Amino acid sequence: TEVAVGRVARVIVPLPEKGHGKVRIELSGHSVDLMARSTGLRIERGDNVVIEEVEGDIAFVSRSPDELQ
């Protein structure tokens, strides 16, 4: 899942400020769901995020800039 770093994903389970949610990303033509953690803000279902880092099976994400929406 290191290939996911820097890619845009869509939130499928909301990410609380402190806690886990889930995101979906397209990798090699397949949809992949990853457990995710926000870098500090609550992010709602359907929002786009950027994967900043992956540690183990957790993706650390931040809200996607408008130009990547």
Side-chain angles (χ1 to χ4, degrees):
T1 53
E2 290 295 323
V3 297
V5 174
R7 304 277 303 272
V8 175
R10 182 168 302 273
V11 176
I12 58 174
V13 175
L15 292 102
E17 287 181 38
K18 297 180 184 194
H20 294 88
K22 192 177 277 190
V23 299
R24 179 168 289 157
I25 186 170
E26 295 290 322
L27 293 174
S28 301
H30 299 281
S31 292
V32 177
D33 294 348
L34 298 171
M35 292 299 295
R37 193 168 184 144
S38 169
T39 55
L41 300 172
R42 177 173 175 80
I43 303 175
E44 300 298 331
R45 183 177 189 269
D47 287 352
N48 285 340
V49 294
V50 174
I51 298 175
E52 303 286 346
E53 182 179 358
V54 177
E55 288 184 14
D57 60 348
I58 305 292
F60 290 84
V61 302
S62 62
R63 193 177 309 279
S64 178
D66 289 340
E67 59 269 15
L68 295 179
Q69 294 290 330

